[in-house]
Amino acid sequence: MRQHILPALKLTAVCIVFFCGVYTLLIWVIAQAAPAHGLGETVSVNGKVVGYALEGQSFTQDKYFWGRPSAAGYNAAGSAGSNKGPSNPDYLKDVQSRIDSFLVHNPGVKKEEIPSELVTYSGSGLDPDLSPAGARVQVRRIAAVRGLKEEKINDLVDRLTEGPLVGLFGPSKVNVEKLNIALDNLH
Amino acid sequence: MSTEIIGVIAMYLITVLLAIPLGRYIGKTYMGEPTWADRIFNPIDKLFYRLSGIRPEREMNWKQHLVALLTINLVWFLFSMLVLMNMSWLPLNPDGNPSMSADLAFNTTVSFVSNTNLQHYSGESGVSYLGQLVLMLFQFISAGAGMAACAVVFNAMRERTTEKLGNFYNYFVRSCTRVLLPLSIIVAVILVFNGTPMTFKGKDQFISMQGDTVHVSRGPAAAMVAIKQLGTNGGGFFGANSAQPMENPNYLTNMVEDISIVIIPMAMVFSLGYILKRKKLAWVVFGVMTVGFLLFVIPSIYYEMKGNPAIRGMGIAQHMGNMEGKEVRFGSAASAYWAVTTTVTSNGSVNAMHDSLTPLTGMFTMMGMMINSFYGGVGVGFLNFYIFIIIAVFISGLMVGRTPELLGKKIEAKEMKIATIIALLHSFLILSGTALASYLFAHDPKGYAAWLGNPGYHGFSEMLYEYSSASANNGSEFSGLSANTPFWNITDGLVMLLSRFLPIVGPLAIAGILAKKKYIPESAGTLKTDTSTFGIMTFAVIIIVAALSFFPSLALGPIAEFFSMPRP
């Protein structure tokens, strides 16, 4: 073992310099050429930063599209899921009460129209997206609160819906923050 | 066909197509044959050897390999403890995060040195950037150590009689610089151009559209995420791992990250074929692994896309499937696919919360870890499979009344003893750990109430999953379990230690002993290992040894939960 200690120590030191140092710096330098210079892309309205492009934020007011329930309270410095098991009775009660409260806020919507992502916690607590159905089911409420025509908002949802990757892979989605910024611009 | 399904099929096919040439490249790398990479890496490797005082041409026998491996791991252990317990005052800590307690530092250190990456802390608040970089270092070198051990076994399996099995440091450095590093750079660059942060600035702050003040964690994430995926490490930069949008921004990055999970474990199988000049054997091994993988992944995707039966009873639409703990941009199919890829290999990163998977998907993820060799971890996955091959050779030899031989080497009592001990160790650690925790909980449900995030069968599954993950060196969790307590930190840590090093020691010893034996050329009486019959035999051994020993515990957890829920 003794003959291996010195090489082990030295090799570890070289690895520290190379992987923590050289590799990290290389990626950092490359990141400077990326769109947001590796800082995370922000979204601004009238020159003021109102969010990060990748991360969802809390929307609770009736005039906005709501995003997914968040176990982290949309804390972008503490991502987390609920970790509730599928058979947990307390959890199922919570889901039921979210369904009930959704129906109260969205008169005219039938229960079978509510997609599950609107009443279940996301994995990160920062999910920025909804399925197109998850946005459309809220259109009636928003149209009523804002005094807009439903078609106009439906068009907006269609316009901002992003299809699968190269048209083939994965689900369609729509970004809630982009939707809400566009909503505010409709007036 | 739905685009979600097409997405996962594409991911799998791309992985296989990339793994075949990569396997060839890895084979050449270990054999010291010329590759395109020599011009870049020969000078770098020489620098490594010169600075460390290593002579890469000095060959070692299996015992010397082991001593080298264990010594360097001891150095890593001490270094990591030192950093993690002192991060708060060391540099690169813009968010002012605290140092770790001794038990948490022990758990985290063992976890990262053993290539497990079980995380009882949260990345945003539990480590400084220096801590993250040191953990990232282990993601390179622990993976490199596992691959080096595998390279020794490959070398020992060749048709000759020898004690000299190459140089450990040579395999280790080559694994890190020529395999892990270039792939990590590619993946990290894809990530930064898709929005993953790579900065040394601390938290940012903004006022949201509804007027809330929001703090945003950032950091040098892209560099770490790349190697955490490629080295079957799994330890994420952010708390929610690859579910966190910055760590995994979109479906493209999800594909890249998921392909990164399986590509090296798969390529190692093809490199075996290249090194031994037995392509057919590699395809038999690959076939057995693939059958096992598909048996887990297909039903998992089915159940996740179908949704939670208890929620279906509430009368809402589940067109996206079981969305609890999942992200919309990935969908159920890609989340289920990830859940299985990350558990059959010993990766353990997640893009959805495993605690919220439907019962049977949860079971398949556990079985992936219990078997731990359907592709398996980088390097160590094949080592686990090697044990099953030894047992299969022995049993089939007895069945047809021939001397059990593997690639021209007689398998005798000593090798069998080692193989049996290693095969049983895994179930012993998982089941006795779970039994101990269940005993404590059952005798004082109030005192330990804070442990479990879910009641009933699912609570038991949380404990079973935790030890399966620790013993498989996986690192994913049913995170409803509040595991940052001295009990879990220490018992998990011990399980990880034993299950990392003994399954390396065992196969190395067997391979070393076999390599020394006389080579017996193939004859009519030889049991051929590169046939589908032998593949089926190996599969049967895996099912009997690994899967069946866990059946009673699975019946108490996920299976009981499945039957207690409304019929789909």
Side-chain angles (χ1 to χ4, degrees):
Chain A
M1 184 161 173
R2 207 178 312 145
Q3 55 166 338
H4 289 288
I5 283 184
L6 260 185
L9 280 171
K10 287 191 210 159
L11 185 55
T12 304
V14 177
C15 286
I16 293 170
V17 172
F18 193 75
F19 293 110
C20 296
V22 178
Y23 164 72
T24 313
L25 276 180
L26 175 72
I27 305 299
W28 182 83
V29 168
I30 295 171
Q32 303 313 306
H37 312 293
L39 291 170
E41 198 185 329
T42 52
V43 178
S44 301
V45 172
N46 304 325
K48 221 178 104 234
V49 174
V50 294
Y52 270 70
L54 291 175
E55 296 182 327
Q57 56 179 269
S58 173
F59 290 104
T60 48
Q61 298 167 3
D62 279 350
K63 63 173 183 171
Y64 283 128
F65 282 100
W66 302 338
R68 303 200 45 199
S70 164
Y74 281 100
N75 174 8
S79 57
S82 73
N83 292 305
K84 292 298 175 199
S87 62
N88 185 333
D90 292 338
Y91 158 69
L92 293 171
K93 259 183 237 154
D94 283 350
V95 174
Q96 185 62 56
S97 72
R98 281 197 289 269
I99 296 174
D100 296 340
S101 117
F102 189 87
L103 289 171
V104 171
H105 283 266
N106 292 270
V109 166
K110 284 198 266 333
K111 203 158 63 170
E112 56 269 25
E113 291 171 329
I114 305 175
S116 57
E117 86 253 20
L118 276 173
V119 292
T120 51
Y121 288 117
S122 61
S124 63
L126 296 169
D127 193 341
D129 303 307
L130 287 177
S131 73
R136 246 178 240 118
V137 73
Q138 305 184 48
V139 166
R140 187 177 293 177
R141 176 193 81 229
I142 293 164
V145 174
R146 292 192 177 239
L148 290 167
K149 279 202 181 117
E150 284 186 29
E151 300 109 71
K152 214 169 166 189
I153 304 179
N154 269 322
D155 286 348
L156 200 68
V157 174
D158 287 341
R159 191 153 55 78
L160 290 175
T161 296
E162 298 167 53
L165 177 67
V166 299
L168 280 176
F169 308 135
S172 300
K173 58 175 187 174
V174 51
N175 184 294
V176 180
E177 194 180 350
K178 280 189 197 160
L179 261 182
N180 286 330
I181 291 174
L183 263 183
D184 279 348
N185 288 339
L186 275 180
H187 293 283
Chain B
M1 206 190 300
S2 101
T3 50
E4 288 200 41
I5 304 268
I6 298 177
V8 298
I9 294 176
M11 263 186 266
Y12 184 76
L13 292 180
I14 295 172
T15 314
V16 178
L17 288 179
L18 292 175
I20 294 171
L22 179 65
R24 232 178 112 80
Y25 168 75
I26 294 177
K28 284 186 179 173
T29 302
Y30 289 145
M31 300 300 290
E33 293 169 18
T35 65
W36 60 269
D38 289 346
R39 254 201 296 171
I40 313 165
F41 291 111
N42 277 352
I44 295 179
D45 289 358
K46 265 193 202 125
L47 191 68
F48 266 75
Y49 300 135
R50 218 187 45 226
L51 292 175
S52 331
I54 286 165
R55 284 171 45 205
E57 68 286 345
R58 186 185 281 169
E59 301 221 31
M60 303 175 171
N61 63 28
W62 71 268
K63 283 181 191 153
Q64 290 166 321
H65 274 288
L66 260 186
V67 177
L69 179 121
L70 295 176
T71 310
I72 200 163
N73 271 277
L74 184 67
V75 171
W76 296 345
F77 177 87
L78 297 174
F79 171 64
S80 171
M81 286 296 280
L82 205 66
V83 173
L84 294 178
M85 291 183 71
N86 293 291
M87 306 182 274
S88 59
W89 59 269
L90 287 167
L92 289 181
N93 190 10
D95 295 341
N97 287 339
S99 302
M100 285 187 184
S101 63
D103 60 310
L104 181 58
F106 169 72
N107 183 281
T108 309
T109 293
V110 172
S111 170
F112 278 78
V113 169
S114 68
N115 196 248
T116 308
N117 294 206
L118 200 66
Q119 293 167 292
H120 290 175
Y121 63 91
S122 200
E124 291 97 333
S125 52
V127 272
S128 68
Y129 291 169
L130 181 75
Q132 297 273 30
L133 289 181
V134 167
L135 295 178
M136 182 187 79
L137 169 75
F138 292 124
Q139 297 186 326
F140 274 102
I141 58 187
S142 70
M147 290 172 75
C150 188
V152 178
V153 172
F154 284 172
N155 194 347
M157 287 169 79
R158 289 159 69 201
E159 295 175 359
R160 55 191 181 141
T161 303
T162 182
E163 273 200 69
K164 298 201 162 129
L165 300 172
N167 181 286
F168 174 78
Y169 300 113
N170 186 30
Y171 291 141
F172 167 73
V173 170
R174 280 174 170 257
S175 305
C176 291
T177 57
R178 290 167 194 242
V179 182
L180 295 169
L181 179 70
L183 290 173
S184 298
I185 292 175
I186 296 170
V187 172
V189 168
I190 294 174
L191 287 173
V192 290
F193 278 89
N194 280 279
T196 302
M198 186 65 205
T199 176
F200 290 93
K201 294 203 171 121
K203 277 179 202 154
D204 194 15
Q205 186 181 328
F206 68 85
I207 306 217
S208 80
M209 288 174 70
Q210 287 200 152
D212 311 324
T213 304
V214 181
H215 298 273
V216 183
S217 285
R218 299 179 294 182
M224 180 175 182
V225 176
I227 182 62
K228 88 150 193 221
Q229 294 303 105
L230 284 160
T232 55
N233 295 290
F237 194 89
F238 299 104
N241 210 295
S242 277
Q244 215 274 11
M246 284 204 176
E247 190 151 337
N248 191 0
N250 53 44
Y251 201 83
L252 173 72
T253 58
N254 188 63
M255 287 179 91
V256 171
E257 289 186 17
D258 206 334
I259 289 168
S260 303
I261 291 178
V262 205
I263 186 165
I264 297 181
M266 221 183 245
M268 291 303 275
V269 177
F270 294 114
S271 70
L272 166 82
Y274 183 82
I275 291 174
L276 300 187
K277 310 251 175 303
R278 284 175 180 269
K279 278 201 181 145
K280 216 178 144 203
L281 175 68
W283 281 104
V284 168
V285 172
F286 178 77
V288 172
M289 291 177 165
T290 301
V291 168
F293 172 70
L294 292 179
L295 279 177
F296 292 164
V297 84
I298 293 169
S300 296
I301 292 175
Y302 170 80
Y303 280 111
E304 290 313 296
M305 289 187 83
K306 205 155 175 213
N308 181 344
I311 288 183
R312 191 171 316 109
M314 297 175 188
I316 60 167
Q318 292 201 79
H319 61 271
M320 284 205 80
N322 171 29
M323 285 306 283
E324 181 68 37
K326 293 197 181 63
E327 300 278 297
V328 170
R329 63 191 179 284
F330 311 138
S332 292
S335 301
Y337 179 78
W338 182 304
V340 174
T341 50
T342 199
T343 43
V344 292
T345 65
S346 70
N347 190 294
S349 64
V350 296
N351 75 348
M353 296 302 120
H354 286 196
D355 216 343
S356 303
L357 295 170
T358 56
L360 290 188
T361 311
M363 178 180 78
F364 292 124
T365 58
M366 280 188 241
M367 288 176 74
M369 297 186 289
M370 288 161 174
I371 290 170
N372 207 19
S373 59
F374 290 152
Y375 307 129
V378 290
V380 290
F382 180 77
L383 296 189
N384 292 334
F385 197 88
Y386 182 69
I387 293 290
F388 291 127
I389 293 182
I390 299 281
I391 297 176
V393 164
F394 190 77
I395 293 179
S396 32
L398 291 184
M399 281 167 74
V400 295
R402 284 178 191 163
T403 336
E405 279 168 23
L406 174 64
L407 305 176
K409 300 296 174 76
K410 249 188 227 165
I411 309 247
E412 288 166 301
K414 196 169 174 193
E415 296 85 81
M416 261 315 281
K417 276 184 202 153
I418 301 175
T420 318
I421 290 171
I422 300 301
L424 294 179
L425 174 82
H426 190 50
S427 20
F428 173 75
L429 288 175
I430 295 175
L431 294 176
S432 53
T434 311
L436 176 65
S438 305
Y439 175 84
L440 290 176
F441 185 85
H443 282 258
D444 188 5
K446 283 216 184 86
Y448 294 101
W451 274 6
L452 303 183
N454 290 285
Y457 307 124
H458 198 88
F460 175 77
S461 297
E462 287 182 339
M463 296 190 280
L464 180 62
Y465 193 103
E466 183 74 12
Y467 285 111
S468 303
S469 175
S471 185
N473 288 166
N474 183 278
S476 62
E477 287 180 275
F478 271 15
S479 305
L481 184 81
S482 302
N484 184 13
T485 66
F487 174 82
W488 287 100
N489 283 336
I490 293 166
T491 56
D492 271 352
L494 293 175
V495 169
M496 285 188 279
L497 261 183
L498 292 172
S499 62
R500 166 70 170 179
F501 293 105
L502 293 182
I504 288 181
V505 173
L508 261 183
I510 296 175
I513 296 168
L514 289 185
K516 239 187 325 190
K517 288 190 182 175
K518 210 178 96 204
Y519 176 70
I520 312 156
E522 241 175 58
S523 68
T526 308
L527 178 84
K528 288 207 166 64
T529 43
D530 48 3
T531 59
S532 49
T533 318
F534 184 72
I536 293 168
M537 191 65 204
T538 313
F539 192 79
V541 165
I542 293 177
I543 297 299
I544 293 164
V545 173
L548 286 188
S549 48
F550 293 106
F551 181 75
S553 56
L554 291 171
L556 290 174
I559 296 176
E561 189 186 13
F562 174 75
F563 283 111
S564 72
M565 291 183 75
R567 288 297 83 212

